[in-house]
Amino acid sequence: TGMRRVRVVLWGRPDATNGVLAVGGTGPEILEASAPFVEIVKSHATALAFIIDELSRLSKTREKLEGGLSSTIEDLTSTHMRLIEKTRKIKALEDVAGAISTHGGQAQPALSAIVSIIARFLEADLVAVLLLDESTGELVVHPGSYGLEGNAMFYRVPLTEERSSSVRVLKTGKPYVSGDAQNDPSVLAVHAKLWGISSIMVVPLTVEGRSLGIIRVGKRGKNAFAAEDLQGLRVIAEEAAVIVET
């Protein structure tokens, strides 16, 4: 014969229903006989619900902790890198001050020393100081430049050459950065290709608004310079400009 009676029992945490137990039989005596067993199943099911909820809570807590730990590690790493960068800048400026002091204001040896400091500071493949020759209207490479050989040591750029980033920086007083100088229409690519340079930074040498020349820094790799590199170079250029003026 089929079931004539059904007993439905809700189970779960006190604040929520997690499931339903149903027991069926042909008569009330069967339902009454099954009651203790139903309570046992209900008890186990409710306990299981608590365990599942606790595991879920622990899992979410772990995810939050892991996320927080990861974020903390990233912050510490970022802070560490900023401290390293600041230390490098301070060291470079100390070296520049030492070079100026050692050479007693003599422009040529002091600039040569500063060029070497810039090359070391930025791990550059080329560092050239181009000074303004007002008699010829040209930017002329300083003899102490780094990474230039042969005829490049006598490199000159007329101020009429508007395609030159060096000329534009001299005239505007604004720095210029390119991550792909060999394919940059705003750069004389022939020189970048000749020297094998892809990334360049050009900063002005100015004193009280007067343009005295520029510093040009290059690397062989593309997009090799960061904003911090440009900031550090500009600070060094301010010190170098004082030497040029004297």
Side-chain angles (χ1 to χ4, degrees):
T1 59
M3 292 186 296
R4 296 179 180 178
R5 294 177 179 269
V6 176
R7 181 184 180 190
V8 177
V9 178
L10 303 178
W11 63 270
R13 294 173 290 111
D15 58 341
T17 298
N18 294 98
V20 176
L21 293 174
V23 180
T26 57
E29 65 280 0
I30 294 178
L31 297 182
E32 291 177 5
S34 67
F37 301 101
V38 171
E39 289 301 318
I40 292 173
V41 173
K42 175 183 176 182
S43 176
H44 282 292
T46 301
L48 182 60
F50 275 105
I51 292 173
I52 292 173
D53 286 347
E54 185 65 15
L55 288 174
S56 176
R57 185 187 66 79
L58 290 174
S59 177
K60 291 178 180 179
T61 301
R62 186 185 67 181
E63 290 176 359
K64 289 181 180 179
L65 289 174
E66 289 177 347
L69 180 60
S70 176
S71 177
T72 300
I73 291 174
E74 289 178 1
D75 290 343
L76 289 174
T77 301
S78 177
T79 300
H80 178 63
M81 295 304 295
R82 287 197 299 270
L83 288 173
I84 290 176
E85 182 63 26
K86 184 172 290 187
T87 301
R88 285 179 63 240
K89 288 180 182 177
I90 292 172
K91 179 64 169 59
L93 290 174
E94 287 177 348
D95 291 344
V96 168
I100 294 173
S101 175
T102 299
H103 297 289
Q106 300 177 48
Q108 185 161 325
L111 277 180
S112 297
I114 291 173
V115 164
S116 297
I117 293 167
I118 293 173
R120 186 170 62 249
F121 168 56
L122 295 174
E123 299 179 347
D125 298 304
L126 180 146
V127 181
V129 174
L130 281 74
L131 301 179
L132 175 61
D133 185 339
E134 294 182 345
S135 64
T136 63
E138 295 175 313
L139 280 172
V140 182
V141 172
H142 180 269
S145 294
Y146 172 84
L148 295 179
E149 298 177 351
N151 292 333
M153 292 297 298
F154 306 100
Y155 177 62
R156 289 171 172 264
V157 185
L159 298 188
T160 54
E161 181 54 90
E162 296 292 343
R163 294 176 302 165
S164 168
S165 56
S166 298
V167 171
R168 291 198 306 275
V169 169
L170 178 80
K171 291 182 176 181
T172 64
K174 297 179 180 179
Y176 184 79
V177 180
S178 176
D180 188 9
Q182 297 188 23
N183 297 295
D184 187 343
S186 298
V187 175
L188 289 175
V190 61
H191 296 124
K193 292 176 180 177
L194 178 64
W195 299 329
I197 297 301
S198 292
S199 297
I200 63 167
M201 291 192 296
V202 187
V203 298
L205 293 169
T206 58
V207 175
E208 296 180 352
R210 292 189 300 111
S211 297
L212 307 176
I214 61 97
I215 297 178
R216 189 181 187 92
V217 180
K219 278 189 176 184
R220 294 189 177 92
K222 292 183 179 180
N223 302 310
F225 294 119
E228 294 77 12
D229 296 325
L230 178 61
Q231 183 183 19
L233 182 60
R234 295 185 71 174
V235 174
I236 294 175
E238 291 176 2
E239 301 297 325
V242 176
I243 291 296
V244 173
E245 187 186 34
T246 59

